[in-house]
Every structure is written in C-alpha cells, then in structure tokens.
Amino acid sequence: MKIKLLSALLLLSFQLCFSQNIKGKVMCNSYIIPNVEVINSFTKKLTTTDAEGNFSIDAKTNDLLVFVSKEHQLKKLTINPLLFINNELIVELTLNAEELNEVVVTNMPSIKLSKDDSWEQTKLDQYTLEKRTAAPKVQGVYTGELVNGVDFMRIGGMLLSLFIKDKEPAKKEPAEVLFKDFVKSHCNQSYFEKTLDIKPEKIGLFMEFCDADPRSKSITTSKNVLTLMDFLLEKKTAFKKL
C-alpha cells in the first residue's frame, strides 16, 4: 500500500515539475487579435486573448494548443521549447479565404445611369478631372500634361461624329397614300356598280364624298381593308339620301 502511494506521489510530482504557465500573444499580419479562444486539448482548459492579444494557460511540453477565431483559420500548435521567444509564445494566425477577397476598381465606370448622353459625358468628364487632380504629382518635373486642359481626343471624336451624321443620307419619309388610291387598289369597277349600286358616272362624286369624311384618313393610315368595306357601305347609304 505504501509503495502504491509513493508511486502516485512521484508521478504527481513529475507532472507538476514539467507543467507550467504558458504566456503568449496571438497575431495576424503584425496585428494583434483579441477574443481568440485558446484550448489545451489534453487538459481541456480554455482561455481567451485579451484586448492586446495576450493569453495565459497552463500547459507542458507536447501539449496540443488549439486557437479558434471566427475570422481566421483554425491553428493547432504542439508545445515545444524552441517555439518560445523571450519566454513568450508568438502565434501567427491566417485569415479565412473569404476575408482575403478584395476588389479594386481602377478603370473608369462604364455603366450608364441615364439615357441622356450629354449628362453621362458630363459625369465622365468630372470623374476624369477628379482622378487627374488626385493623382500624385512630382514637383519640379514637367510631364507634358496640361492640368485641367482641354480633352482634344473627345472633342475630335465629337466633330467626327457630326461629320459622319452630315454624310449620312437623309431618310425618306414614306409617301402619303391618298384615300382614292387606296380604294382603287382594293375595289374594282364591278364592286361600285354591283355591291354598292352606284352608277359609273357617279363613282367619282362618291369618292369625293367619302374622302371628305375625316375617318378616311385613319383608314388610309391603318390600311385595314375590312374597315374600308364597312366604311364604304355606310357612306353609300348616306350618299343615296343626297
């Protein structure tokens, strides 16, 4: 019994001799990281880094420390005396992949926000002027650039576009179709005599009578033959009453 008790005491003393309080600092890209959980996977003890990234936890050689942060990749570190710098354990974490994504826009925006071309060009000119003003200048060195000068390239493009527009042939407006011609193209002599019951010598007068109605213009524009037939039948009745 005494031998067993002595063995237990010796084992406990052995562990106490090699167990120590580990102090360290957690960083990422030379920046301190607060609120990082530090876990000793062997003893199940846990602590958290303070506002300066410092932590303190009991551990011994070959204990496995796990560093957990939402914005950084999981870090596992086995305690080794060679890892300490001035009796302090410096732990470097790596940002998660999604935290590294960054889009840098350097080109001039090309998305149109308005249908007004002149307004768009004014905004682009303003953007170009601000970009040139913000660009670093080398004092005492002439680069050949006119500060806030005239954009000859854009002006040349505008003149060229005007020249091209002048050269373009003018679009011919479609010739207006007269009501009489529209009727003749769809109604023959037999239609006037048999269907409308209008004598040949009065067909011309009937056409003048129909053409005087403002609706004849809309019929000519729409070029609807069925509407034309209904219109002629209606006007025939009124013509007969004259």
Side-chain angles (χ1 to χ4, degrees):
M1 182 68 181
K2 292 181 179 181
I3 296 175
K4 291 183 178 180
L5 181 59
L6 181 60
S7 299
L9 290 174
L10 289 174
L11 180 60
L12 179 60
S13 300
F14 180 82
Q15 291 180 345
L16 290 175
C17 290
F18 287 87
S19 180
Q20 56 182 333
N21 184 261
I22 303 296
K23 294 183 179 180
K25 183 186 293 287
V26 179
M27 307 181 69
C28 178
N29 296 330
S30 300
Y31 289 96
I32 59 175
I33 310 176
N35 302 322
V36 177
E37 295 183 351
V38 184
I39 307 169
N40 188 328
S41 62
F42 290 162
T43 64
K44 309 304 180 186
K45 292 184 178 180
L46 181 145
T47 188
T48 306
T49 58
D50 59 16
E52 299 297 327
N54 298 316
F55 70 93
S56 177
I57 191 171
D58 291 333
K60 61 180 183 298
T61 302
N62 294 327
D63 278 2
L64 181 65
L65 298 185
V66 181
F67 300 84
V68 182
S69 173
K70 292 181 180 180
E71 293 81 14
H72 302 80
Q73 296 180 11
L74 185 71
K75 179 86 172 186
K76 295 181 180 181
L77 198 62
T78 301
I79 297 300
N80 187 316
L82 299 178
L83 298 177
F84 289 82
I85 301 176
N86 296 328
N87 296 324
E88 187 179 33
L89 182 63
I90 305 298
V91 181
E92 186 75 19
L93 297 186
T94 305
L95 279 172
N96 288 330
E98 58 270 16
E99 298 296 333
L100 296 176
N101 291 334
E102 181 180 0
V103 178
V104 179
V105 179
T106 57
N107 293 331
M108 187 177 295
S110 60
I111 300 177
K112 286 205 169 187
L113 302 178
S114 171
K115 293 182 179 179
D116 189 348
D117 292 337
S118 61
W119 184 89
E120 283 292 328
Q121 187 60 53
T122 302
K123 287 296 181 182
L124 290 177
D125 292 343
Q126 181 180 357
Y127 175 84
T128 303
L129 179 60
E130 292 175 355
K131 186 175 180 182
R132 290 178 178 175
T133 304
K137 306 296 182 183
V138 181
Q139 298 295 332
V141 178
Y142 177 67
T143 61
E145 178 183 3
L146 295 177
V147 180
N148 299 335
V150 180
D151 190 347
F152 292 102
M153 293 295 292
R154 185 171 67 83
I155 295 176
M158 295 172 61
L159 294 175
L160 180 61
S161 63
L162 292 175
F163 178 77
I164 293 176
K165 288 182 179 180
D166 291 339
K167 290 297 182 179
E168 290 180 354
K171 295 182 179 179
K172 295 182 179 180
E173 296 293 335
E176 183 180 358
V177 179
L178 298 177
F179 176 76
K180 296 178 181 179
D181 296 334
F182 181 64
V183 173
K184 290 179 180 179
S185 63
H186 294 86
C187 304
N188 53 23
Q189 186 79 12
S190 177
Y191 178 80
F192 286 102
E193 297 179 4
K194 295 182 180 180
T195 304
L196 298 180
D197 191 23
I198 296 177
K199 295 181 180 180
E201 63 274 12
K202 293 186 178 182
I203 293 178
L205 182 61
F206 176 68
M207 293 288 289
E208 295 290 343
F209 177 72
C210 294
D211 192 28
D213 193 321
R215 289 182 296 168
S216 63
K217 302 296 186 297
S218 61
I219 294 175
T220 306
T221 303
S222 64
K223 298 181 180 181
N224 191 314
V225 179
L226 294 178
T227 304
L228 173 64
M229 298 303 176
D230 293 339
F231 176 72
L232 292 177
L233 289 173
E234 177 187 343
K235 300 303 289 184
K236 178 203 73 171
T237 303
F239 184 74
K240 291 285 187 181
K241 294 179 181 180
L242 293 178

